[in-house]
């Protein structure tokens, strides 16, 4: 669990990371959309932004499933009103089977990919 802006002992943050709603079957209800969030735990700004967005909107989301291992990435598969899902910051969105490729907000994939590659390289290749 990340400290984020809410602090490591925040009950709402703890509940958010532990929330696992039943996975809805089929397509989202009319007027609803799905999205996936995924952020590198080493990027404190992205983690804080994801936690802020999720805490602000968790009550309006109809489905939330915490994803990611927590050691290198955190994330959620979410479903809720399409207008709300549209407010998800592009830097937090991810493509997934849950959301489908069309649901992921456009972002600077090259810069993000380079950061993740550099982190992986540092952890697995350069450790010594």
């Amino acid at each position: 669990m990340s400290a984020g802006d809410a602090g490591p002992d925040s009950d709402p943050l703890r509940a958010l990371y532990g929330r696992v709603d039943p996975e809805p079957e089929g397509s989202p209800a009319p007027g609803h959309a799905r999205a996936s969030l995924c952020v590198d735990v080493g990027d404190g700004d992205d983690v804080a932004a994801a936690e802020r967005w999720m805490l602000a909107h968790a009550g309006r989301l109809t489905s939330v499933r915490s994803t990611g291992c927590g050691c290198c990435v955190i994330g959620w598969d979410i479903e809720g009103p399409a207008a709300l899902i549209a407010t998800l910051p592009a830097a937090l969105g991810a493509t997934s089977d849950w959301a489908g490729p069309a649901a992921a907000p456009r972002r600077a994939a090259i810069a993000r990919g380079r950061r993740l590659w550099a982190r992986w390289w540092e952890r697995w290749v350069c450790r010594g």
Side-chain angles (χ1 to χ4, degrees):
M1 187 177 316
S2 167
D5 286 343
D9 296 322
S10 165
D11 287 337
L13 189 60
R14 190 176 317 274
L16 177 64
Y17 275 92
R19 183 172 168 183
V20 180
D21 296 340
E23 186 171 335
E25 293 184 24
S27 299
H32 282 69
R34 292 181 177 164
S36 293
L37 285 79
C38 185
V39 295
D40 179 349
V41 297
D43 189 331
D45 291 339
D46 279 355
V47 170
E51 290 174 348
R52 274 193 312 272
W53 193 91
M54 287 296 295
L55 286 169
H57 304 294
R60 293 187 55 208
L61 297 171
T62 55
S63 180
V64 175
R65 299 180 58 77
S66 183
T67 61
C69 59
C71 68
C72 56
V73 295
I74 60 168
W76 292 274
D77 286 339
I78 59 173
E79 182 178 285
L84 177 65
I85 299 297
T87 68
L88 179 66
L92 308 179
T95 301
S96 71
D97 289 341
W98 164 259
R106 297 190 56 85
R107 62 177 169 183
I110 298 299
R112 182 165 177 79
R114 286 184 183 148
R115 283 196 326 256
L116 290 173
W117 174 254
R119 234 176 134 215
W120 176 84
W121 183 264
E122 194 173 301
R123 278 189 178 174
W124 297 104
V125 178
C126 295
R127 63 181 177 174

